[in-house]
Amino acid sequence: MDDRVPRVPRQERHDPARDEDVAGLRFGVLGPVRAWRGDDPLPTGSPQQRAVLATLLLREGRTVTAAELIDAVWGEDPPSQALAALRTYVSRLRKVLTSRMLVSDAGGYALRAPAGVVGLDLTAARTLSEDAEKAWAAGDVRAARDRLDHALGLWEGETLAGVPGPYADSQRVRLEELRLKLIENRLDLDLELGRHAEAVSELTSLTAEHPLRERLRELLMLALYRSGRQAEALAVYADTRRLLADELGVDPRPGLRDLQERILRADPTLAEPEAPATETPLVRILPAQLPASVPDFTGRETLARELGEALVTETGDENRVMAVSAVAGIGGVGKTTLAVHVAHQARHAFPDGQLYVDLQGASPRPAEPQAVLGAFLRALGTADPAIPDSLQERSALFRSLLDGRRILVLLDNARDAAQVRPLLPGTAGCAALVTSRTRLVDVAGAHLVDLDVMAPHEALALFTRIVGAERVDSERESALDVVAACGFLPLAIRIAASRLAARRTWTVSVLADKLADERRRLDELQAGDLAVKATFELGYGQLEPSQARAFRLLGLADGPDISLAAAAAALDLAPDDTEDLLESLVDTSLLESAAPGRYRFHDLVRLYARACAERDELPSRERESALTRLLDFYLATAAGVYAVERPGDRLVEQLEETAYPGLHFEDRHDAQDWLYAEAGALLSCVRQSIGDGRLRRAVDLLWVAKDLAESGANAREYEVAANEALQQARSADDPHALGRSLITLTDVHLVAGRFDRADAAAVEALRVTEDADDPVPRCWAPNTRGIIALYQGRHEEGERHLTVAFDNFRANENRAGEASVLCNLSRIHLATGRVESAVTLAHQGIGIYDRTGNALRGANGRYALGLALTESGLLTTAADILRDALDVFRDSRQRLWEGMTLFRLAEVDLAAHRPAQAAAHADLALTALRGIGGEWRRGLVLTVLGRALSGLGQAGRAHVCWTEALGIYEELRAPEAEEVRGLLKLSVAA
C-alpha cells in the first residue's frame, strides 16, 4: 500500500544512555513540518530550515550530503552563501534536537535514533497501513477499515505545507499518492461493510478533485449501484469514457469496463460485498438464530423423522425446488418445540446458517414481513443503508443473498400464507420450516403436517421427564389423570409438571385433585385457545392475590412489551413493589423479561390474562382505571418530553388533564431516548384508548409524540394511529378531538410530502373547531396552510394564512408559535424578493426561540435564516448558520430536517461555485431523506445534485438525476417540472 525506499541497514553500537536525550521526540511531515518533545512543541525555524529537517526525516536515518541538501532546498539556483546557510540551519536544529541525534557523517548529515524511541507520523501511517493489509487478508474488514481510518487521520492538511524546494515538491506528490491509495482502500472496505450510501458523497467529491483516477470512478459506480442508483452508475462510466478520450485519448481500463457490463446485466454478485483481492477469503456471516432445543423433547419420533427427511432429502436433490414444510395445529400443541428440534437435527444439511423469527401470528398485530426481512438481511451482513424500503425489493434482495447458499429458515407462529410468502427462499439448497395455527394450504408446494395432541404414553413420558421418575412411578394413575386433565397438550403438561417439580412437598395426587376441580379449569377442552387457557389456569390458580391482579391488569395493555414505569402506572403501585411482582410472574413463566426493565406476555398468555380480567375484575371500572392510568402516564411523560424539547410552546398547558403523573426529564437526550424506546407501546396505547372513552387524551398523546413521525423512525405506525383516531373522532361527533386529530394528520401528510391532503385536513380542522372552545387547531392549522402555500408557490395566499396564525398565536400567548410563524413568513418574503425583511423576520423568530431555550425549533429558525443569507450573497455566514442547524437536527434525530439542511448547504455550495462540495452534500441529503419527506423533496435534491454534477463535467449522471426529478414533478404536477425541462434541454444541446 506504499512505495517507500528500502532502508539500508547500519551497523553501530547502541548506547542506552543516549536514548534519554531523544526520548519522547516526535515529528510530523503529513501536514506542516513540526516537532514535539512529549506534548511540548519545538521550534523548527524558517521555511528553509524546515526543508532541511524534512529532507533528513524523509531519508529515514540515511546520510544526506551537503550538496544533496542544498539541491533539495534551493534546486538548480542556490544562493552564493547556500553552504553557510545550511550549516546555520543544522546548528540551530542541533540545539533543538541534540547533537547526538543530528549527526555529521561523511561530509553530510543524518538523523539517527534507536528504533522505537523517536516517532514520525509517516512511519506510523505506514505501520497502520501494513496492519490494515494483514487484517483485511485475515477477513477482519472492520479492523482493517479502522486502521486505515486512523492512518488517514494522521494527515493534517497539505503534506509538507509551506516547505520550499524541489525535494519537498516531489515528496509532496509521492505522499499525496500514498494518501489517495489509502483512501481508495478505505472506501473499498466501506463498500464491503455495506456503507454504500455514505460512500457516494465522498466519492463524488474525490472524483471531482481527481477526475482521471479510474479506481475512484469504479468505486463510485459500485457505490451508486448498491444504493439503488443504477442509471447514475452507468452515467459515471459514460462520463469517464468521454473524459479519458478527450484528455488522454484512451479508453477506460478493463476493470471499469467489466464493472459497467456487470451493472448492465444486473450481476447478482454486485448486490453484496465481494471477497477481498487476497488469497484468504473474507469470513462469511453464518447466522445461527435457532432457539435452544428443549433438553426434554419427548415423542413425535415419526413426525420429526418425516419433517427432517423432507428438508434434507429435497434440499440435497438439485432437481427439486426449494423445500417448504408447514406444521399446523392448535395453540399449545407443541409446534414450535417440534420445529426447533427438527431444525437442530437438520443443521448439518445447512452449513451456511439458520434464520429464525417469531411472526406473532396469534397476536392482534402480527409481525410485518417487511420488518422481518430487514432483520434477516442484517443477519446476513447487509448494512442498514443498503436495505431497500419496499417489501418487494427486500424480498428480492433476500432471495438473491440466499442464492447458491444452503440456509434453513424457520418461520414460527405464522398468521397466514400472505405473511409467509415474501419470507421464503427462492432456490434449491435452502429450505423453510413454518409453524402456524392454520393449515397453509395456499403455500405452493409445501409439505403439510397436522400436529395433534400427544399420545397418552408420550404425554406421560414428558410429564415424567420434567417431574422425575421417582415421584411419578409411585403415583402412575394420578399422573395419567393429570395429563388427561391437561388434554394431552404439551404446553399444559409442561406448565403443570413444572409447578409440581418446583413444589417438593406436593404429591402428584395433590395436583391431580386440583385439576379434577372443574371450577379451576374449563368444562371442556376444545380446539383453539380454550385448550391453551385451560393449561394456564393451573399457573394462574397458584398466584398470590397481588400477583394475580398484576397478571390480569397488565394483560389488558396492548403493545409489544411494557416498561417497569408503565406497569407501575397500570397497577398503581410503587416501582419497587411492581418490579417484585413482575419478577415473581417471570419465575412462574407467565411473563417474560424482554430486557432489563421491560416485560412482555406470550401472545396466548396475554389472551388468557384478559379473559381472567374480564372474569375476575369486578366491578369493571378497575380494568378501565388501569388503562386510564396507563394512558395518563404516557400522556404526562410524553408531554414532559415535548416541553423539554420545545420550551415556550403552550400546547403542554392546553392538553387534557391527567390524574396520574409521568416521568420527569432534565436532559433532552434522556427524554428523546424514552420517547423512541416507548414508541411501540405508546402508539399501541393510543390505538387502544381511542375506542374506550379516552379519545381526547389519546389524540393529545399523539400530538405530543409527533417526533415519532417527524423523525421518520415510526412514521408508518404513527400514521396508522392518527387515521384511527380521526375515524373515531368522526364517529364520536367530538369537534375538539376531531380538530386536534386532523392537525396530527396535517403533520403526517406534510412530512410525507402529501401537501394537498395536508391542506385539506387543515381546512377541515378550522371548520370543525370554528365554534369549539379550543384555540390550538386555530393556531396551527393556518400556520400549516401557510407552509403548504409556500411549497406550492401560492405566496400571497400563504402570507394571509400566516398572518392569521400569528394573530391567533399572539392571542393565545404562545411565543413559540409566534416564532414559528415569523420564520415561515421569512421564507414567504424571501420567495417574493423581499430579502432584507426575510433576514429580519428570521432573526426575530430565532430571538424568541433562543430566549426560551428552544434549541430544536431554533434550528428551524436558523434554517430559514440560512436561506435568506444565501440569497443575500453572504454565503460563508449562511453555511455556518446552516451547519449549526444541522448539528441540532442530527442531535435531535430529526432526519427530515437533517436531509433538507444538507440540501440547502448544497445550494450554498453551488452559489459559491463549489460543485464538488455541493454534490457531496446533495448525496448526503438523499441518504438522510430515504423513506421520509416524500417525492417532491427528493425531486428538489436531485435537481441540485444534477446541477452540481454538471458543474463537475459529469453530464451523463446529471442527465439521469434531472430525468428522475422530472418524472417526480410531472407525476405530482409540480411547477418545478418546467425548470427541470429547461435543464434537460440545455444538457442535450451541450
Side-chain angles (χ1 to χ4, degrees), residues 55 147 184 242 278 318 354 384 421 425 485 531 550 573 595 605 621 634 637 676 756 811 835 937 967:
T55 304
R147 285 168 174 77
E184 288 171 345
R242 182 171 54 254
T278 62
E318 294 298 328
Q354 306 86 40
D384 280 345
R421 288 192 194 98
L573 294 173
V605 181
R621 63 173 175 269
Y634 283 131
T637 307
Y676 290 106
D756 289 340
V835 179
R937 292 185 176 93

Side-chain angles (χ1 to χ4, degrees), residues 695-900:
L695 174 61
R696 289 191 176 188
R697 272 175 289 182
V699 171
D700 281 352
L701 176 54
L702 263 182
W703 196 325
V704 293
K706 64 189 294 185
D707 280 351
L708 297 178
E710 291 188 1
S711 68
N714 301 90
R716 183 178 304 172
E717 297 87 346
Y718 186 96
E719 183 172 357
V720 169
N723 276 308
E724 291 184 8
L726 176 63
Q727 293 169 10
Q728 188 62 34
R730 292 193 195 281
S731 300
D733 194 22
D734 184 342
H736 180 99
L738 181 57
R740 293 195 175 199
S741 62
L742 284 163
I743 293 299
T744 64
L745 269 178
T746 62
D747 287 339
V748 168
H749 294 318
L750 201 59
V751 168
R754 300 188 292 259
F755 302 134
D756 289 340
R757 294 174 66 181
D759 194 51
V763 169
E764 186 180 0
L766 287 170
R767 179 179 59 78
V768 299
T769 58
E770 188 174 356
D771 298 323
D773 185 23
D774 185 8
V776 177
R778 294 198 299 274
C779 293
W780 289 104
N783 189 46
T784 300
R785 295 203 70 198
I787 296 170
I788 296 167
L790 166 67
Y791 290 160
Q792 295 183 334
R794 298 178 281 111
H795 302 130
E796 185 177 344
E797 179 185 344
E799 190 164 357
R800 289 199 304 271
H801 291 314
L802 291 173
T803 301
V804 171
F806 185 84
D807 293 340
N808 291 348
F809 276 124
R810 174 157 288 185
N812 193 37
E813 299 180 357
N814 191 329
R815 295 289 286 157
E818 290 181 38
S820 175
V821 174
L822 289 169
C823 295
N824 292 329
L825 277 171
S826 168
R827 297 185 60 184
I828 291 279
H829 280 228
L830 184 64
T832 52
R834 293 170 285 174
V835 179
E836 185 175 345
S837 60
V839 173
T840 301
L841 287 166
H843 274 299
Q844 290 174 355
I846 293 170
I848 295 174
Y849 284 136
D850 289 351
R851 285 192 294 274
T852 58
N854 195 330
L856 175 58
R857 291 313 170 202
N860 288 110
R862 285 169 173 79
Y863 176 90
L865 178 59
L867 302 188
L869 293 174
T870 301
E871 192 65 26
S872 300
L874 302 174
L875 302 181
T876 301
T877 306
D880 290 342
I881 291 289
L882 288 171
R883 278 192 286 268
D884 289 343
L886 179 63
D887 290 341
V888 175
F889 290 139
R890 283 175 169 164
D891 188 54
S892 302
R893 309 182 198 182
Q894 293 286 317
R895 196 153 54 87
L896 171 65
W897 287 106
E898 175 189 345
M900 291 307 295

Side-chain angles (χ1 to χ4, degrees), residues 264-329:
L264 285 170
R265 64 174 184 266
D267 186 341
T269 61
L270 291 178
E272 61 181 74
E274 297 179 346
T278 62
E279 293 183 1
T280 304
L282 281 175
V283 177
R284 212 171 192 182
I285 294 178
L286 302 179
Q289 297 183 344
L290 294 179
S293 184
V294 294
D296 49 19
F297 181 84
T298 304
R300 315 291 200 189
E301 290 89 357
T302 302
L303 280 175
R305 184 166 55 253
E306 175 187 342
L307 284 168
E309 288 175 355
L311 293 176
V312 175
T313 303
E314 294 187 20
T315 302
D317 186 349
E318 294 298 328
N319 297 318
R320 298 289 297 269
V321 296
M322 180 269 306
V324 181
S325 291
V327 181

Side-chain angles (χ1 to χ4, degrees), residues 9 32 35 80 121 124 143 216 234 246 298 362 435 444 577 626-627 859 863 971:
S80 57
D121 55 2
L216 290 174
L234 293 171
D246 292 345
T298 304
T435 71
D577 295 335
L627 292 175
Y863 176 90
E971 184 174 350

Side-chain angles (χ1 to χ4, degrees), residues 173-190:
V173 172
R174 181 177 71 88
L175 294 177
E176 176 63 12
E177 176 64 21
L178 170 63
R179 186 181 73 88
L180 285 173
K181 286 184 178 179
L182 295 183
I183 289 174
E184 288 171 345
N185 287 332
R186 195 256 299 153
L187 286 165
D188 203 346
L189 291 168
D190 281 339

Side-chain angles (χ1 to χ4, degrees), residues 372-386:
V372 173
L373 285 168
F376 279 175
L377 291 171
R378 293 185 190 95
L380 292 167
T382 308
D384 280 345

Side-chain angles (χ1 to χ4, degrees), residues 352-649:
D352 293 321
Q354 306 86 40
L355 296 167
Y356 171 86
V357 65
D358 178 4
L359 294 173
Q360 304 176 39
S363 72
R365 297 179 181 87
E368 293 187 4
Q370 189 170 353
V372 173
L373 285 168
F376 279 175
L377 291 171
R378 293 185 190 95
L380 292 167
T382 308
D384 280 345
I387 296 176
D389 289 327
S390 73
L391 173 62
Q392 292 77 12
E393 289 177 314
R394 289 187 178 191
S395 185
L397 178 57
F398 176 64
R399 293 192 297 272
S400 297
L401 290 177
L402 265 56
D403 185 33
R405 303 173 74 174
R406 300 176 69 85
I407 286 181
L408 174 63
V409 182
L410 176 48
L411 305 174
D412 192 21
N413 196 10
R415 184 181 186 91
D416 51 31
Q419 187 187 31
V420 167
R421 288 192 194 98
L423 309 178
L424 296 176
T427 56
C430 294
L433 184 55
V434 188
T435 71
S436 176
R437 294 189 188 184
T438 60
R439 300 184 78 241
L440 301 178
V441 294
D442 44 353
V443 174
H447 173 68
L448 301 179
V449 174
D450 291 326
L451 190 60
D452 203 350
V453 296
M454 301 183 90
H457 71 278
E458 291 179 332
L460 182 60
L462 175 60
F463 185 82
T464 302
R465 293 190 68 173
I466 297 173
V467 174
E470 69 281 359
R471 298 177 70 183
V472 173
D473 288 347
S474 61
E475 297 184 272
R476 183 177 175 82
E477 292 301 319
S478 294
L480 287 171
D481 290 340
V482 169
V483 296
C486 291
F488 305 111
L489 283 167
L491 181 58
I493 295 167
R494 187 173 296 280
I495 292 174
S498 298
R499 288 280 175 265
L500 184 59
R503 289 161 174 79
R504 304 302 299 177
T505 59
W506 282 17
T507 62
V508 179
S509 59
V510 170
L511 178 60
D513 289 340
K514 290 179 177 295
L515 291 175
D517 184 359
E518 293 186 356
R519 293 172 303 175
R520 302 186 64 83
R521 61 179 174 87
L522 298 177
D523 292 337
E524 292 184 48
L525 295 174
Q526 302 178 16
D529 290 338
L530 291 178
V532 177
K533 289 179 183 178
T535 65
F536 289 125
E537 188 73 40
L538 292 168
Y540 179 68
Q542 301 303 316
L543 296 179
E544 297 293 334
S546 59
Q547 293 175 314
R549 174 180 178 270
F551 177 72
R552 294 191 301 267
L553 294 183
L554 292 181
L556 296 171
D558 284 345
D561 60 6
I562 191 167
S563 67
L564 176 61
L571 300 177
D572 198 16
L573 294 173
D576 289 345
D577 295 335
T578 302
E579 185 173 23
D580 290 341
L581 276 175
L582 299 190
E583 289 298 328
S584 70
L585 289 174
V586 171
D587 291 338
T588 66
S589 299
L590 292 174
L591 193 66
E592 299 176 12
S593 180
R598 302 197 74 85
Y599 301 88
R600 67 186 177 203
F601 283 105
H602 185 281
D603 51 4
L604 300 177
V605 181
R606 187 198 301 275
L607 293 175
Y608 175 74
R610 289 183 176 179
C612 291
E614 293 172 2
R615 180 188 67 195
D616 299 340
E617 287 295 340
L618 298 173
S620 61
R621 63 173 175 269
E622 177 60 15
R623 301 196 301 270
E624 296 170 1
S625 296
L627 292 175
T628 296
R629 287 192 297 271
L630 183 62
L631 174 61
D632 282 358
F633 165 78
Y634 283 131
L635 176 55
T637 307
V641 174
Y642 188 96
V644 168
E645 288 203 316
R646 298 169 174 82
D649 192 329

